[in-house]
């Protein structure tokens, strides 16, 4: 029987598994939402409305900003084609693609079989977050492989559904993380095959569990009765980099990997908040009992964490840091607070879920022991008030009614109990290196004002998430008081509301810094460069019609935090999202991820579409930020 699950995007799959609430509850939510829409009627009102009453409103208009532009390039037009575009004076090239050998004993990629069963020796699929590290004069990139497309990895199987343990293993091996040495020569950048640093970390790599939840009953399984070691990491989305040079990989949609071979098996109540159901997305449970909820109901409790990896030591064991909470982690933006404590900003990418912050108990000392900086600390959930003020609400036994370990494992429930603000799918957080401020991409949320989140929390429009059925997304930013990221209060405003001024004349047109020449939808990946410019990557609707007409393929833009100006730098092939960004150590090369192209990219017509890391340079050899 045809199995359509594998054709669905993660969003669509979640929607299928997350039906609407009953009519009474739904009616009430809509009623609440409608009663609050008054303050957002029309573009003019929007520009001065409650949503932006914080600091500096929505910045100056583009016309004003153009006279003081800090951008070194001429913005590009939208595209709807099958390739990559960058501005005049810039070039792009492929660094590596799904299936390219990291080691010379791996076979070359086959467009007939979609890679080989030896898939833990090759670059995995669907590149996502990445960071660059320097070891002496060598450069390493650690990069995530978010998920696999079973249809193109198992092209001989009906709908790509695995039919053996070996096929499951192939899919498992293609996810996780690659660490690879990269090198630039006259012929351009390439991966150094067989480098001693090259490494694949996948769904069967042993990892240590650390922090408050290590050894807890909810983490114990038959294979690991102590609850301290887990095999693998999965659905690795965004990334983070610690001041001590480790890589943070973020486990996002882990729920879809688990299923039950016994449909009558009773599942723990806590599963529903995380979308863990008897029907899986990948059918692993049929051939790998670890993923079978009827046999191993605690296994999902061992995923949904931040994992710390030392990319400079290929023998090192990755560590799951449970103190940073368990949810659908997007990325991990690490910053050192004024007082030396470590602050990590963390988004939970699900409609109506929360934005978090972790603050370490200890202080970072360069060269000192860092083991407990991500083990001992406090998690907070963000509360955005309508007056432009905000507060980090601590998740403690007193505020949540849960013990310290439960807070780490069932973090979503803790955040609901503490009363955080439900958000429009928090994706990446980025902190500005030249100003004490942080930005979070809220990609979109068609459920805003339509239905509550999976925990029943009200998701009526609020000031930071002000549009009902928000299909364009926005970027919220905050400035901690006293320039201290560890402080408990902040001021916030909206940097941009994405929208379409060609189609809409109301709040769906977007904020004043959005115009027909730069419009986009669904901001997702974000990173600041050393000049304090914000690079914004999109993962949205690329159909270029209806609400999205004139927005074209997904794109990467650059924003000036001071003027509000936003300009388009790159477009990617149709179907692809742009995700993952890092710079070479001399900042003259920019690495960017092109994930899940539908176009036959980059190998051309008749070939399989392959996710890829590309490298962008200036023709004059200049800096890219
Ligand atoms: Fe993997 Fe929320 O993006
Ligand atoms: Ca993302
Ligand atoms: Ca996304």
């Amino acid at each position: 029987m045809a199995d359509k699950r594998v054709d669905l995007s993660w969003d669509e799959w979640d929607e299928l598994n997350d039906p609407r609430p009953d009519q009474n509850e739904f009616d009430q939510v809509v009623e609440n939402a409608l009663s609050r829409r008054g303050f957002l009627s029309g573009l003019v009102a929007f520009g001065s409305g409650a949503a932006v009453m914080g600091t500096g409103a929505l910045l100056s208009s583009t016309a004003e900003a153009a006279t003081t532009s800090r951008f070194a390039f001429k913005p590009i037009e939208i595209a709807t084609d099958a390739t990559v575009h960058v501005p005049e004076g810039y070039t792009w090239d492929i660094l590596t693609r799904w299936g390219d050998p990291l080691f010379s004993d791996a076979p070359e990629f086959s467009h007939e079989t979609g890679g080989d069963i030896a898939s833990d020796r090759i670059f995995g699929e669907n590149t996502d977050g990445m960071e660059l590290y320097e070891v002496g004069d060598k450069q390493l990139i650690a990069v995530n492989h978010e998920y696999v497309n079973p249809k193109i990895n198992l092209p001989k199987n009906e709908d790509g559904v695995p039919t053996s343990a070996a096929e499951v293993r192939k899919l498992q091996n293609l996810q996780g993380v690659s660490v690879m040495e990269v090198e630039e020569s006259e012929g351009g950048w390439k991966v150094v095959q067989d480098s001693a640093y090259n490494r694949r970390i996948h769904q069967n790599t042993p990892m240590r569990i650390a922090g408050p939840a290590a050894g807890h009953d909810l983490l114990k399984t038959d294979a690991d009765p102590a609850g301290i070691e887990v095999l693998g990491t999965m659905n690795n989305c965004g990334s983070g980099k610690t001041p001590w040079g480790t890589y943070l990989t973020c486990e996002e949609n882990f729920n879809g990997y688990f299923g039950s071979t016994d449909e009558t098996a009773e599942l723990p109540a806590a599963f529903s908040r995380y979308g863990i159901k008897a029907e899986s997305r990948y059918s692993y449970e049929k051939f790998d009992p670890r993923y079978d909820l009827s046999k191993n109901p605690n296994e999902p409790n061992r995923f949904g964490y931040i994992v710390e990896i030392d990319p400079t030591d290929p023998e090192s064991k990755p560590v799951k840091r449970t103190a940073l909470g368990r949810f659908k982690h997007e990325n991990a933006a690490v910053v050192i607070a004024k007082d030396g404590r470590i602050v990590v900003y963390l988004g939970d990418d699900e409609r109506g879920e929360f934005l978090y912050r972790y603050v370490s108990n200890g202080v970072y000392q360069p060269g000192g022991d860092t083991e407990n900086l991500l083990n001992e600390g406090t998690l907070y959930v963000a509360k955005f008030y309508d007056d432009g003020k905000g507060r980090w609400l601590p998740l403690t036994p007193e505020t949540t009614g849960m013990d310290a370990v439960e807070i780490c494992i069932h973090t979503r429930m803790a955040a609901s109990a503490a009363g955080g603000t439900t958000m429009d799918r928090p994706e990446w957080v980025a902190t500005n290196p030249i100003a004490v401020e942080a930005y979070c991409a809220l990609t979109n949320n068609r459920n805003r004002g339509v239905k509550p989140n999976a925990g029943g929390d009200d998701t009526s429009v609020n000031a930071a998430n002000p549009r009902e059925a928000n299909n364009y997304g926005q970027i919220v930013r905050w400035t901690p008081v006293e320039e201290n990221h560890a402080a408990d209060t902040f001021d916030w405003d909206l940097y941009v509301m994405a929208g379409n001024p060609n189609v809409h004349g109301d709040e769906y047109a977007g904020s004043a810094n959005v115009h027909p020449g730069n419009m986009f939808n669904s901001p997702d990946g974000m990173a600041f460069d050393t000049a304090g410019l914000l690079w914004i990557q999109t993962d949205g609707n690329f159909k270029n019609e209806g609400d999205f007409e004139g927005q074209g393929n997904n794109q990467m833009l650059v924003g000036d935090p001071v003027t509000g100006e936003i300009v388009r730098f790159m477009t990617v092939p149709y179907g692809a999202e742009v995700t993952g960004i890092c710079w070479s150590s001399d900042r003259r090369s920019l690495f960017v991820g092109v994930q899940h192209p539908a176009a036959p990219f980059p190998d051309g017509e008749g070939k399989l579409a392959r996710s890829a890391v590309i490298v962008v340079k200036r023709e004059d050899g200049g800096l890219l930020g």
Side-chain angles (χ1 to χ4, degrees):
M1 196 178 78
D3 189 329
K4 294 297 174 205
R5 282 172 295 159
V6 295
D7 287 334
L8 303 175
S9 71
W10 271 109
D11 280 2
E12 291 164 338
W13 189 84
D14 260 4
E15 187 64 20
L16 195 70
N17 285 277
D18 183 22
R20 282 168 179 262
D22 65 55
Q23 197 63 23
N24 287 339
E25 197 178 8
F26 175 72
D27 286 349
Q28 187 60 49
V29 170
V30 172
E31 199 175 303
N32 291 346
L34 289 174
S35 69
R36 297 185 57 184
R37 286 183 68 198
F39 76 94
L40 280 174
S41 55
L43 189 59
V44 175
F46 174 72
S48 58
V52 293
M53 286 199 312
T55 56
L58 279 165
L59 309 162
S60 58
S61 74
T62 319
E64 287 165 348
T67 60
T68 56
S69 174
R70 289 200 285 147
F71 305 111
F73 58 91
K74 188 172 155 215
I76 64 168
E77 300 293 319
I78 63 162
T80 56
D81 62 7
T83 190
V84 169
H85 296 276
V86 292
E88 276 174 38
Y90 290 74
T91 61
W92 68 273
D93 200 358
I94 299 288
L95 174 69
T96 187
R97 302 157 292 187
W98 156 53
D100 283 343
L102 285 172
F103 300 92
S104 55
D105 61 2
E108 284 295 329
F109 183 81
S110 159
H111 281 275
E112 281 69 50
T113 63
D116 187 86
I117 215 76
S119 50
D120 61 345
R121 309 286 283 171
I122 59 181
F123 189 73
E125 206 192 348
N126 283 328
T127 176
D128 209 307
M130 59 181 158
E131 308 286 344
L132 186 127
Y133 299 85
E134 294 174 59
V135 185
D137 61 353
K138 297 184 187 303
Q139 296 181 61
L140 315 178
I141 290 177
V143 51
N144 291 339
H145 303 291
E146 186 175 29
Y147 66 98
V148 291
N149 180 333
K151 271 190 171 176
I152 58 176
N153 284 288
L154 300 172
K156 292 180 177 161
N157 296 23
E158 187 173 350
D159 291 313
V161 176
T163 57
S164 68
E167 289 178 348
V168 166
R169 184 77 175 212
K170 177 179 182 179
L171 301 184
Q172 292 173 341
N173 283 356
L174 282 165
Q175 301 174 60
V177 175
S178 286
V179 180
M180 56 194 186
E181 183 182 342
V182 295
E183 182 179 72
E184 187 176 29
S185 63
E186 278 191 4
W189 283 92
K190 63 175 174 43
V191 173
V192 181
Q193 264 188 17
D194 300 321
S195 163
Y197 293 104
N198 289 1
R199 181 180 189 189
R200 280 301 319 284
I201 291 162
H202 47 66
Q203 287 184 2
N204 289 287
T205 303
M207 325 209 146
R208 176 164 66 91
I209 301 174
H216 189 271
D217 283 351
L218 282 169
L219 268 57
K220 292 175 180 168
T221 63
D222 289 345
D224 174 30
I228 54 170
E229 184 183 88
V230 59
L231 291 181
T233 181
M234 60 173 63
N235 219 273
N236 306 79
C237 185
S239 57
K241 188 177 186 179
T242 65
W244 49 95
T246 56
Y247 182 70
L248 301 179
T249 185
C250 308
E251 298 180 337
E252 192 188 19
N253 292 301
F254 64 95
N255 56 315
Y257 296 84
F258 299 93
S260 178
T261 56
D262 175 2
E263 287 179 11
T264 65
E266 199 170 323
L267 303 182
F271 279 12
S272 64
R273 182 66 186 269
Y274 287 87
I276 301 163
K277 313 245 175 182
E279 186 185 46
S280 73
R281 183 175 163 93
Y282 287 122
S283 303
Y284 284 4
E285 74 279 7
K286 297 192 174 94
F287 305 100
D288 186 343
R290 192 154 67 90
Y291 293 83
D292 186 345
L293 298 171
S294 68
K295 298 192 174 76
N296 283 297
N298 278 351
E299 193 67 16
N301 295 333
R302 294 144 65 85
F303 295 88
Y305 296 106
I306 298 291
V307 184
E308 185 177 13
I309 295 168
D310 182 355
T312 68
D313 178 3
E315 302 302 318
S316 61
K317 192 170 182 174
V319 186
K320 295 208 177 188
R321 299 291 181 188
T322 62
L324 276 62
R326 175 170 168 268
F327 43 89
K328 295 188 179 179
H329 277 287
E330 181 67 25
N331 85 324
V334 186
V335 64
I336 303 172
K338 216 175 181 179
D339 60 10
R341 286 184 288 169
I342 292 297
V343 171
V344 191
Y345 291 113
L346 305 154
D348 181 356
D349 180 8
E350 183 107 59
R351 297 178 192 89
E353 290 295 339
F354 303 106
L355 174 66
Y356 295 87
R357 182 189 70 164
Y358 168 87
V359 182
S360 67
N361 291 348
V363 166
Y364 171 61
Q365 289 170 320
D369 184 359
T370 57
E371 169 61 23
N372 286 325
L373 289 176
L374 300 182
N375 287 342
E376 297 171 359
T378 303
L379 265 178
Y380 298 77
V381 63
K383 182 78 177 176
F384 292 85
Y385 299 106
D386 288 0
D387 64 357
K389 303 288 184 191
R391 177 174 290 277
W392 293 104
L393 308 175
L395 304 184
T396 65
E398 293 71 35
T399 62
T400 64
M402 299 163 64
D403 69 33
V405 177
E406 288 170 339
I407 290 167
C408 295
I409 300 174
H410 295 141
T411 310
R412 285 181 167 180
M413 288 78 126
S416 289
T421 299
T422 62
M423 306 298 285
D424 287 348
R425 296 184 54 196
E427 301 251 26
W428 290 52
V429 177
T431 58
N432 190 338
I434 63 169
V436 184
E437 61 174 357
Y439 290 60
C440 179
L442 301 168
T443 196
N444 57 55
N445 181 3
R446 65 173 171 266
N447 292 347
R448 172 63 61 190
V450 175
K451 68 176 190 178
N453 71 11
D457 297 323
D458 176 38
T459 65
S460 304
V461 290
N462 58 57
N465 304 271
R467 283 189 303 212
E468 186 181 303
N470 175 20
N471 57 353
Y472 294 119
Q474 66 265 19
I475 297 175
V476 65
R477 63 178 175 180
W478 58 97
T479 307
V481 297
E482 295 171 355
E483 301 194 326
N484 180 8
H485 281 289
D488 287 340
T489 56
F490 55 87
D491 296 313
W492 68 269
D493 69 352
L494 292 168
Y495 174 61
V496 63
M497 294 289 297
N500 193 326
N502 285 352
V503 174
H504 298 286
D506 57 10
E507 68 265 34
Y508 295 87
S511 50
N513 51 347
V514 168
H515 54 81
N518 73 353
M519 61 181 176
F520 61 96
N521 71 86
S522 306
D524 187 333
M526 289 197 305
F528 275 95
D529 63 24
T530 56
L533 294 175
L534 179 65
W535 295 68
I536 304 163
Q537 304 176 319
T538 73
D539 170 24
N541 188 305
F542 58 93
K543 302 291 190 221
N544 202 35
E545 59 188 31
D547 277 352
F548 308 100
E549 190 169 350
Q551 301 193 337
N553 293 347
N554 278 302
Q555 46 186 294
M556 183 162 72
L557 309 106
V558 191
D560 184 332
V562 178
T563 65
E565 188 185 8
I566 296 172
V567 292
R568 186 180 298 117
F569 179 84
M570 173 187 283
T571 59
V572 295
Y574 63 85
E577 71 170 277
V578 200
T579 184
I581 179 169
C582 64
W583 285 261
S584 61
S585 42
D586 66 4
R587 316 288 296 185
R588 293 176 197 281
S589 297
L590 175 64
F591 301 97
V592 181
V594 178
Q595 197 199 76
H596 63 74
F601 177 85
D603 299 336
E605 282 301 330
K607 306 289 188 185
L608 291 175
R610 299 166 77 182
S611 57
V613 175
I614 64 171
V615 56
V616 179
K617 291 186 71 75
R618 276 169 60 161
E619 285 171 354
D620 65 4
L623 297 169
L624 273 107

